[in-house]
């Protein structure tokens, strides 16, 4: 992995909510997250809905400002209100193809606006460049004068990608970009993303709740639970030897043929970020939790490029051990 | 968002068929309104006489010389009616358009940026809702003194709140659409996003209300003029014409009848078109 395009350091994102009639509280949607994206890499970010994936995405692109921590672009910390030139470098692709395009604008108008705004091409070259962008995402001249309502969901998503590419960004943040599409259309859009990475050297932060998709597309994966990253590493390692019980639960929930043992089920619903459990935030639902898990924050365990935040990383059999013996960094050499 | 497929598949959007009577009303309204506007525009050419010209042919019934008769000062009623259309249509457009412009700007900015501005707007809007608008309208014009400009000021001061309220709801909905944040990420300033992406997609309800409001403005102007609070005395205006005809209501019916009927027709045409506006456009949303 080459240089880091984006680094996220100790990021905290909060938003106010009303509890009761007068009282307001701040909810931590993202709590002390560290992440980085190498140039040309596709990082998958997975987790249940409500775990803070989208909030993290909004902070990374600059739609929301962090309460603490910082985002670095090419090693340079970005201000909380980014100037247009800086916003340009990180673009977002949204989930809902129905609302990602202005319904009153034709495709040409949609693509022309960012080109004009940044004077990326001379005025007479705008239509040509728009067509070029459309062809890059697998559409053509026929779609130029179309309004969004005349396009299918997959076509709209392609236009949204073309619009993001118009400003020649370095990073694309795709927030559940294929969740609303049919399987076949979703596959085509995923191929497009991979293709764009290969051809343009784009870096992609791919947010999804679909592990199968992440396995097929991404180089690395980060697993989020209730606002923090619990496991992170290369896809091949994380999927082969998940270190965190939550990751194992997620993987077991993916239906697959030829699985021998029945999956481990998680207990209960994900707790609300208004009431974050003490210690390891997963412990109330963890099939392997001990008393220790509820008391102290889990340490970081590392193995190769894999990072896991768990007292008993890679060790599902730990339950037999008395928890007093378990020290912070026991795991790196052992295998499950 | 309704997606209408190009060919007739099983999901073709079926428009509910408007009843024949309603269709007829709408097209009649459109024709009448178009006719009225043309008549107003070409009033100087169409009018058989100078609307201010006093003659000795006073209180003539409708006939060959004066198609709609003459009034107590011997002025040709048809000519006055045509010129009154000019005054009233003009006033109607501004008495509804100015409040819309002001209210939409205030409401959109407040809703888009939120915070204190938005809270203040909600507070003002709630207060206005408790006020008797028409009583205040009359009082305000009375204080400002009769005349076109005080009419417009009064309508603007009292009318903008409804538009602000309408646009506020819409802007808060559209603000959350993804193309809005995309516009910002692509490099537009927040203000540019408001005017290029948010406002154009928020205005429909306001235009529907504008049509209704124009009808109400027309009647408001006529009523105020009837009470002598509208346009300057002597200016041809429908409400003022009815007012001047009061004394002759029993003996000279045409003096009140023609301008009165015109007010009714014009008001209901505008209202019918507003109705049509609100019915259309649900598709493609």
């Amino acid at each position: 992995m080459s240089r880091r395009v984006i680094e996220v350091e100790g990021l905290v994102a909060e938003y106010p909510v009303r509890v009761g009639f007068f009282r307001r509280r701040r909810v931590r949607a993202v709590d002390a997250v560290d992440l980085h994206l190498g140039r040309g890499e596709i990082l998958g970010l997975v987790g249940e809905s409500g775990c803070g994936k989208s909030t993290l995405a909004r902070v990374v692109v600059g739609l929301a400002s962090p309460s603490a921590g910082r985002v670095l672009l090419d090693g340079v910390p970005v201000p909380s209100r980014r100037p247009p030139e800086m916003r340009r470098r990180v673009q977002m692709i949204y989930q809902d193809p129905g609302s990602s395009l202005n319904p009153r604008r034709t495709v040409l108008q949609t693509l022309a606006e960012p080109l004009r705004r940044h004077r990326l091409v001379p005025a007479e070259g705008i239509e040509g460049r728009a067509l070029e962008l459309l062809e890059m995402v697998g559409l053509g001249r026929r779609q130029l004068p179309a309004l969004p309502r005349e396009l299918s969901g997959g076509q709209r998503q392609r236009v949204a990608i073309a619009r993001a590419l118009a400003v020649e960004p370095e990073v694309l943040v795709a927030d559940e970009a294929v969740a609303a599409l049919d399987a076949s259309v979703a596959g085509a859009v995923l191929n497009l993303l991979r293709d764009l990475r290969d051809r343009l050297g784009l870096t992609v932060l791919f947010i999804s709740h679909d592990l199968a998709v992440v396995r097929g597309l991404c180089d690395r994966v980060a697993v989020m639970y209730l606002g923090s990253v619990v496991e992170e590493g290369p896809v091949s390692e994380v999927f082969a030897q998940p270190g965190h019980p939550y990751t194992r639960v997620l993987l077991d929930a993916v239906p697959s043929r030829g699985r021998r043992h029945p999956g481990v089920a998680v207990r209960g619903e994900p707790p609300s970020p208004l009431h974050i459990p003490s210690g390891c935030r997963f412990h109330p639902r963890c099939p392997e939790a001990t008393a220790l898990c509820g008391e102290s924050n889990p340490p970081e365990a590392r193995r190769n490029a894999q990072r896991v935040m768990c007292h008993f990383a890679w060790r599902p059999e730990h339950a037999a051990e008395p928890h007093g013996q378990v020290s912070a960094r026991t795991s790196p050499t052992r295998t499950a | 968002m309704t997606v209408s497929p190009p060919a007739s598949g099983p999901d073709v959007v079926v428009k509910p068929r408007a009843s024949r009577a309603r269709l007829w009303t709408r097209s009649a309204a459109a024709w009448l309104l178009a006719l009225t506007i043309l008549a107003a525009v070409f009033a100087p050419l169409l009018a058989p006489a100078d609307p201010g010209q006093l003659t000795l042919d006073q209180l003539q019934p409708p006939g060959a010389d004066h198609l709609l008769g003459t009034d107590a000062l011997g002025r040709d009623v048809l000519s006055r009616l045509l010129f009154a259309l000019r005054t009233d249509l003009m006033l109607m457009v501004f008495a509804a358009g100015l409040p819309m412009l002001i209210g939409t700007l205030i409401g959109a900015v407040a809703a888009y940026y939120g915070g204190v501005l938005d809270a203040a707007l909600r507070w003002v809007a709630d207060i206005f809702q408790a006020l008797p608008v028409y009583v205040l309208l009359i009082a305000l014009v009375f204080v400002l003194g009769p005349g076109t400009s005080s009419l417009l000021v009064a309508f603007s001061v009292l009318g903008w709140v409804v538009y602000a309220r309408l646009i506020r709801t819409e802007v808060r909905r559209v603000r959350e659409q993804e193309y809005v944040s995309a516009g910002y990420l692509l490099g537009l300033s927040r203000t540019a996003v408001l005017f290029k992406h948010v406002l154009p997609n928020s205005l429909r309800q306001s235009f529907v209300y504008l049509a209704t409001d124009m009808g109400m403005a027309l009647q408001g102007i006529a009523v105020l003029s009837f009470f002598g609070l509208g346009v300057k005395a002597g200016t041809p205006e429908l409400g003022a014409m009815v007012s001047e005809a009061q004394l002759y209501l029993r003996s000279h019916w045409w003096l009140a009848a023609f301008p009165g009927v015109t007010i009714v027709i014009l008001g209901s045409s505008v209202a019918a078109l507003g109705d049509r506006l609100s019915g259309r456009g649900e598709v493609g949303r």
Side-chain angles (χ1 to χ4, degrees), chain A residues 61-63 81 84 87-88 91-92 94-96 98-105 113-114 117-118 149 156 163 167, chain B residues 1-4 176-190 196-198 200-201 204 283-285:
Chain A
V61 297
L63 285 174
R81 286 208 103 175
R87 268 180 259 154
R88 187 180 73 88
Q91 288 298 316
M92 187 142 170
Y94 300 88
Q95 171 173 10
D96 180 9
S99 84
S100 59
L101 301 175
N102 185 336
R104 309 178 74 91
R105 299 264 180 108
E113 183 174 69
R117 173 66 186 81
H118 291 284
R149 65 161 171 270
R156 282 184 216 160
R163 178 183 59 189
V167 294
Chain B
M1 175 129 205
T2 321
V3 184
S4 37
E176 303 306 323
Q177 302 286 303
E178 288 163 352
Y179 57 81
V180 171
S181 67
Y184 175 72
L185 287 182
L186 289 167
L188 297 181
S189 67
R190 295 226 184 251
K196 288 186 164 180
H197 292 290
V198 179
N201 286 298
R204 240 209 33 220
V283 177
R285 200 147 183 220

Side-chain angles (χ1 to χ4, degrees), chain B residues 123-139:
Chain B
W123 191 70
V124 172
D126 286 345
I127 289 179
F128 264 76
Q129 203 165 38
L131 295 177
V133 172
Y134 279 96
V135 176
L136 277 180
L137 189 69
I138 292 170

Side-chain angles (χ1 to χ4, degrees), chain B residues 256-274:
Chain B
F258 292 121
V261 167
T262 311
I263 293 175
V264 171
I265 291 177
L266 206 56
S268 43
S269 302
V270 174
L273 287 178

Side-chain angles (χ1 to χ4, degrees), chain A residues 34-69:
Chain A
D34 295 301
L35 269 184
H36 61 90
L37 274 112
R39 193 170 291 282
E41 150 181 272
I42 303 184
L43 173 67
L45 186 61
V46 297
E48 287 163 313
S49 50
C51 72
K53 292 172 296 183
S54 294
T55 309
L56 181 60
R58 289 175 63 81
V59 176
V60 168
V61 297
L63 285 174
S65 19
S67 316

Side-chain angles (χ1 to χ4, degrees), chain B residues 92 95-97 99-100 159 163 208-218 270:
Chain B
M92 174 178 98
M100 175 171 171
Y163 290 100
V208 171
Y209 183 74
L210 178 69
T212 321
D213 199 28
M214 287 209 294
M216 292 200 285
L218 176 78
V270 174

